[in-house]
Amino acid sequence: MNTLTALTVLDLASVVIFALSGALVASRAQLDIVGFAFVACLTAVGGGTVRDVLLNRHPVFWIESPSYILWATGAAVVIFFTAHLLESRMKWVIWLDSFALAVAVPAGVAAALETGQHPVIVVLMGMATGSLGGLMRDVVCNEVPLVLKQGELYISCAMAGAIGTLIAMTAGLELTTALLICAGTTWALRAGSIAFGWHLPVYKSRPPRQ
Amino acid sequence: MNTLTALTVLDLASVVIFALSGALVASRAQLDIVGFAFVACLTAVGGGTVRDVLLNRHPVFWIESPSYILWATGAAVVIFFTAHLLESRMKWVIWLDSFALAVAVPAGVAAALETGQHPVIVVLMGMATGSLGGLMRDVVCNEVPLVLKQGELYISCAMAGAIGTLIAMTAGLELTTALLICAGTTWALRAGSIAFGWHLPVYKSRPPRQ
Amino acid sequence: MNTLTALTVLDLASVVIFALSGALVASRAQLDIVGFAFVACLTAVGGGTVRDVLLNRHPVFWIESPSYILWATGAAVVIFFTAHLLESRMKWVIWLDSFALAVAVPAGVAAALETGQHPVIVVLMGMATGSLGGLMRDVVCNEVPLVLKQGELYISCAMAGAIGTLIAMTAGLELTTALLICAGTTWALRAGSIAFGWHLPVYKSRPPRQ
């Protein structure tokens, strides 16, 4: 599997999963079906769009292949008619988002590798592609952004996954394997943070003076 | 009238009308005259800028013709000195925004047609150009975004207008007529929603269990 | 000193100072160390990135020289371990931000001059480069944006500084001097506003009718 094929598969998977999470957030905001599709598409392609514009990769992936938009819209329609079947929508948002993050990070990494970027930029593109779609979803719908929720790992998982890819490739593994390691590392850390509360120490200021 | 002329007229009209709406929102936030100009320019060129960057149309329309910025600034100055004459500023914002939407959607559609995009992308560019300037205005000034207000048609009007253009062109109408149909459809639906409460069914979760 | 050298120096200075201000805002939001780095990088490169994308200057400055990112990350780490030593973090944010603004405005002006833009665009790029990084920092961390705080000069300082550069260059001064005048004007006005409350008249609606 070459870089471009891997990239297409990862982009499609992250588009669909992010779209499902976006539509669920739209259901919490009680939008109509076009609003569902709008938020789903924004979440689905937001991170990858920023990546492509920053790397000057034109046409942007969904402008080149508009079927991504149709997939995201389809996901929004499915959620519009089924969200009421879910027990806890917020739980679903958080878990779907974790899977979307885990496929979007390697998608960002692969795109940066394909255009021959410096390792620092490869890691940053993984972090940006993984987190910005969800950040746009949360800012537009006025939710507390998952990416900045205190006492949880999120952007750190993306960073660890992206660095993992680089280590794996330096160790001589081929691209597909390295991207799988990226997805696995990202998801395992994020899932551990959701399920078991794994976190890094957060900044605490000293107590105020008397 | 060719595509580029139509595009220039539409861009200018949407810039001025969006700038008026942006300056009125700035008046609600009690900014100074430079703040008025800043919000007016952001609202006026925000949607078209995203459209141009995504479609890789450089230079961006207002960088090529800086007079757009002067028009938007002029609109801001006029509002700074006259806003106190208006009875209800929020009502004016909503109605001005409806006109700006109705000219910005065909502006986005025309730019996408000019660069030969797929129909799905044409519709999306209409929706993005129409809605993103207003969205930036509302996010920056901390108002509830008009585009996501529950129980109102907004992004749906943009979608209907953009699809209308495509139908009109497929039916053999020439571009100018098709763009007029786009503007008319968008405005009629939005005005109907403001005046008569037209809306699509919104998502309602089932009642919580006992 | 030619335009490109001046630009590199200004970009680096604004990156480091904005990064410090971003990390301090992250400390107010009690993020972990990766969150500090994320907010610091976003603040540090946000304005310059928008400038480069709008002017179609690729690669974007920090993609071409990833060391900017390392500097911003380093600044974030320093703040993570030292922020508790500061008496009033918000005061530091405001003053650091004033210095960052004062170097980012000439950085935007220089980049626009280098690509041969119209004077209106030169002024706007100065304003955008100066203000957008801080605006992103405040929106993402849910602080009231400094740029739109009522009754303070902010975006006006950027405008005055940028216009100052153009006047200085028209008067025959060389670029480096003109950029120093830009930084000085911007900072003096902003510092005057913070320290002495200098401001422009803000919009006041007439009193509501009885």
Side-chain angles (χ1 to χ4, degrees):
Chain A
M1 191 148 82
N2 65 17
T3 320
L4 270 175
T5 321
L7 192 45
T8 308
V9 171
L10 290 167
D11 270 342
L12 184 57
S14 85
V15 158
V16 171
I17 309 175
F18 264 133
L20 293 170
S21 83
L24 278 174
V25 171
S27 81
R28 286 167 51 92
Q30 306 212 319
L31 301 181
D32 62 30
I33 196 164
V34 180
F36 270 59
F38 180 76
V39 177
C41 289
L42 187 74
T43 313
V45 304
T49 303
V50 172
R51 172 199 69 192
D52 285 354
V53 167
L54 290 180
L55 294 178
N56 203 20
R57 294 172 81 235
H58 286 286
V60 169
F61 75 105
W62 51 272
I63 292 182
E64 184 160 46
S65 313
S67 56
Y68 289 115
I69 297 297
L70 301 178
W71 279 96
T73 307
V77 172
V78 168
I79 293 292
F80 188 78
F81 290 109
T82 61
H84 65 281
L85 302 173
L86 302 175
E87 192 74 26
S88 156
R89 277 174 289 151
M90 201 56 212
K91 219 175 201 170
W92 276 87
V93 168
I94 288 171
W95 282 100
L96 280 170
D97 186 273
S98 78
F99 287 105
L101 179 71
V103 288
V105 172
V109 165
L113 287 173
E114 192 228 333
T115 49
Q117 303 297 329
H118 186 279
V120 168
I121 303 303
V122 171
V123 172
L124 271 181
M125 285 298 141
M127 295 166 72
T129 311
S131 63
L132 295 184
L135 183 62
M136 292 180 194
R137 173 196 65 207
D138 296 338
V139 166
V140 164
C141 291
N142 218 12
E143 303 262 354
V144 176
L146 280 181
V147 62
L148 288 175
K149 238 166 136 192
Q150 205 181 97
E152 281 194 19
L153 297 179
Y154 192 98
I155 193 74
S156 319
C157 311
M159 195 176 75
I163 292 175
T165 324
L166 294 179
I167 295 177
M169 292 189 73
T170 310
L173 296 182
E174 62 158 325
L175 182 74
T176 316
T177 320
L179 292 178
L180 283 175
I181 289 175
C182 176
T185 309
T186 305
W187 189 78
L189 288 174
R190 178 70 186 134
S193 179
I194 301 172
F196 309 119
W198 296 353
H199 64 279
L200 289 170
V202 301
Y203 177 83
K204 291 258 187 243
S205 53
R206 60 172 177 217
R209 287 155 208 214
Q210 309 282 355
Chain B
M1 190 149 81
N2 65 18
T3 321
L4 271 175
T5 322
L7 192 45
T8 307
V9 171
L10 290 167
D11 270 342
L12 184 57
S14 85
V15 158
V16 171
I17 309 175
F18 264 132
L20 293 170
S21 82
L24 278 174
V25 172
S27 82
R28 288 167 50 92
Q30 306 211 316
L31 301 180
D32 61 30
I33 196 164
V34 180
F36 269 60
F38 180 76
V39 178
C41 289
L42 187 74
T43 313
V45 304
T49 303
V50 172
R51 171 198 70 191
D52 286 354
V53 167
L54 290 181
L55 294 178
N56 203 20
R57 293 172 82 235
H58 285 284
V60 169
F61 76 104
W62 52 271
I63 292 182
E64 184 159 46
S65 313
S67 55
Y68 289 117
I69 297 297
L70 301 178
W71 278 97
T73 306
V77 172
V78 168
I79 294 292
F80 188 78
F81 290 109
T82 61
H84 65 281
L85 302 173
L86 301 175
E87 192 74 27
S88 156
R89 278 175 289 152
M90 200 56 212
K91 219 175 200 170
W92 276 88
V93 169
I94 288 171
W95 281 101
L96 279 170
D97 186 273
S98 79
F99 287 105
L101 180 71
V103 288
V105 173
V109 165
L113 287 172
E114 191 228 334
T115 48
Q117 303 297 329
H118 185 280
V120 167
I121 302 302
V122 171
V123 172
L124 271 181
M125 286 297 141
M127 295 166 71
T129 310
S131 63
L132 295 183
L135 183 61
M136 292 179 195
R137 174 195 64 208
D138 296 338
V139 167
V140 165
C141 291
N142 218 11
E143 302 263 355
V144 177
L146 280 180
V147 62
L148 287 175
K149 238 165 134 193
Q150 214 180 89
E152 279 193 21
L153 296 179
Y154 192 97
I155 192 75
S156 319
C157 311
M159 194 175 76
I163 292 175
T165 324
L166 293 180
I167 295 177
M169 292 189 73
T170 311
L173 296 182
E174 62 159 325
L175 182 75
T176 316
T177 321
L179 292 177
L180 284 174
I181 289 175
C182 176
T185 309
T186 305
W187 189 78
L189 288 174
R190 178 70 187 135
S193 179
I194 301 172
F196 310 119
W198 297 352
H199 64 278
L200 289 170
V202 301
Y203 177 83
K204 292 258 187 241
S205 53
R206 60 171 178 219
R209 287 156 208 214
Q210 309 283 354
Chain C
M1 192 149 82
N2 65 18
T3 320
L4 270 175
T5 322
L7 192 44
T8 307
V9 171
L10 289 167
D11 270 342
L12 183 57
S14 85
V15 157
V16 171
I17 309 174
F18 264 133
L20 294 169
S21 83
L24 278 173
V25 172
S27 81
R28 288 167 49 92
Q30 308 211 316
L31 301 180
D32 62 29
I33 197 165
V34 181
F36 269 60
F38 180 76
V39 177
C41 289
L42 186 75
T43 313
V45 304
T49 303
V50 171
R51 171 199 70 192
D52 286 355
V53 167
L54 290 180
L55 294 179
N56 203 20
R57 293 173 82 234
H58 285 284
V60 169
F61 76 104
W62 51 273
I63 292 181
E64 184 160 45
S65 313
S67 56
Y68 288 116
I69 298 298
L70 301 178
W71 278 96
T73 306
V77 172
V78 169
I79 293 293
F80 188 77
F81 290 109
T82 61
H84 64 281
L85 303 173
L86 302 175
E87 192 75 25
S88 156
R89 277 174 289 151
M90 200 57 212
K91 220 175 200 171
W92 276 88
V93 169
I94 288 172
W95 282 101
L96 279 170
D97 185 273
S98 78
F99 287 105
L101 180 71
V103 288
V105 173
V109 165
L113 288 172
E114 191 229 332
T115 49
Q117 304 297 329
H118 186 279
V120 168
I121 303 303
V122 171
V123 173
L124 272 181
M125 285 299 141
M127 295 166 72
T129 309
S131 63
L132 295 184
L135 183 62
M136 291 180 196
R137 173 195 65 208
D138 296 339
V139 166
V140 164
C141 291
N142 218 13
E143 303 262 355
V144 176
L146 281 180
V147 62
L148 287 175
K149 237 164 135 194
Q150 207 181 95
E152 281 194 19
L153 296 180
Y154 192 98
I155 193 74
S156 320
C157 312
M159 194 175 76
I163 292 175
T165 324
L166 293 179
I167 295 176
M169 291 189 73
T170 311
L173 297 182
E174 61 159 326
L175 182 74
T176 316
T177 320
L179 293 177
L180 283 174
I181 289 174
C182 175
T185 309
T186 305
W187 189 78
L189 288 174
R190 178 69 187 135
S193 179
I194 301 172
F196 310 119
W198 296 352
H199 64 277
L200 289 171
V202 301
Y203 177 83
K204 292 256 188 243
S205 53
R206 60 171 176 220
R209 286 155 209 216
Q210 309 284 355

